Amino acid sequence: LAQDGALNAEAVVVGFESGRVAVFRVLLPDSLGRADTDGSGAAPEGVLLASQPVLTEDEPLLLDHYFCKSPVTSLMWHPVLGIISIYRDGTALMVDTNGVVTCSIACAAGRDVLVTAADLSLE
């Protein structure tokens, strides 16, 4: 997501009904290793075992916040503004890559609205 810092990784942004927004690191097959039988690092017939569940000691959580108690209806990523989340109560919230709220607008989108696009120009 970001050029540097904790969000400089393959990631997925997830919004929850509780109002929580979380960014999880995506565990890619190459970073997890490959199952091999001959020590070559390749799975039989060159197939990565990416469909197998991966258990890690720690949750691959990069960032999360819980600044609004309403369910999340839309999420957008902007390289400069950060994570923009829209909530069912109409609140629009911008959080930077450190998890700090940079902008909050109550009733910006109206109640029960799903935002699919926004003009995020800085001017």
Side-chain angles (χ1 to χ4, degrees):
L1 291 174
Q3 297 293 328
D4 54 7
L7 298 185
N8 185 13
E10 294 291 329
V12 61
V13 183
V14 181
F16 297 89
E17 225 175 283
S18 65
R20 178 185 181 210
V21 173
V23 181
F24 295 97
R25 182 170 47 99
V26 174
L27 301 174
L28 300 174
D30 287 338
S31 64
L32 295 174
R34 300 174 178 177
D36 63 359
T37 55
D38 60 1
S40 68
E45 299 177 19
V47 177
L48 290 173
L49 298 177
S51 62
Q52 300 299 316
V54 176
L55 299 176
T56 60
E57 286 186 31
D58 300 322
E59 181 180 38
L61 181 67
L62 298 174
L63 174 96
D64 74 326
H65 72 75
Y66 189 70
F67 294 118
C68 189
K69 306 281 189 258
S70 184
V72 178
T73 60
S74 300
L75 289 167
M76 289 175 263
W77 167 254
H78 188 274
V80 175
L81 301 174
I83 300 168
I84 297 114
S85 44
I86 310 296
Y87 296 86
R88 185 181 294 160
D89 66 359
T91 301
L93 195 68
M94 292 180 204
V95 177
D96 68 12
T97 57
N98 296 313
V100 177
V101 175
T102 57
C103 180
S104 177
I105 305 169
C107 302
R111 206 165 154 69
D112 296 325
V113 171
L114 177 65
V115 176
T116 58
D119 179 3
L120 302 175
S121 62
L122 299 175
E123 295 179 14

